[in-house]
């Protein structure tokens, strides 16, 4: 499962702008909010390429950062955050 920066921020208990600020301060994001080291951090972050057609401007292209599932704990470690406790799932109990 992949999360947007907004979803990852919510999971880490903060706002998207605060997460971006912390990630930039640590050198994890560049000025376009994309991974600063996409090869090094590929197990945790990825760049999602998107495109769409606009009536007057033609094809539009964008890139955004996605946080992979292992990236949530990695981000918490990188940024010195305590992750909220994961709720226990009792549905699997026999």
């Amino acid at each position: 499962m992949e999360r947007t920066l907004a979803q990852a921020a919510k999971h880490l208990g903060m706002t998207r702008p605060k997460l971006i600020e912390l990630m930039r301060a640590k050198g994890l994001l560049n000025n376009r909010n994309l991974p600063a080291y996409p090869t090094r951090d590929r197990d945790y972050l990825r760049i999602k390429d998107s495109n769409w057609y606009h009536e007057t401007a033609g094809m539009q292209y964008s890139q955004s950062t996605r946080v992979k599932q292992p990236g949530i704990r990695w981000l918490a470690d990188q940024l010195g955050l305590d992750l909220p406790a994961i709720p226990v799932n009792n549905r699997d109990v026999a």
Side-chain angles (χ1 to χ4, degrees):
M1 180 178 147
E2 290 185 340
R3 291 178 169 86
T4 63
L5 289 178
Q7 292 166 331
K10 186 175 180 183
H11 194 80
L12 293 168
M14 66 180 69
T15 63
R16 178 180 172 272
K18 182 66 178 170
L19 177 62
I20 289 170
E21 177 186 326
L22 291 172
M23 289 178 74
R24 280 187 177 179
K26 278 286 189 176
L28 300 176
L29 290 181
N30 64 21
N31 62 347
R32 293 178 55 217
N33 295 337
L34 297 174
Y37 301 97
T39 304
R40 180 192 75 183
D41 299 337
R42 70 179 169 268
D43 293 339
Y44 311 108
L45 305 172
R46 85 170 182 96
I47 297 174
K48 179 182 181 206
D49 293 307
S50 301
N51 62 60
W52 65 94
Y53 184 77
H54 186 274
E55 288 293 321
T56 54
M59 281 305 288
Q60 303 293 302
Y61 300 92
S62 71
Q63 292 183 311
S64 58
T65 297
R66 292 293 187 263
V67 180
K68 297 181 179 183
Q69 186 61 36
I72 295 293
R73 173 145 317 273
W74 176 79
L75 264 180
D77 291 343
Q78 294 292 313
L79 303 176
L81 304 172
D82 290 325
L83 268 181
I86 298 172
V88 176
N89 183 349
N90 292 324
R91 291 180 287 183
D92 296 333
V93 176

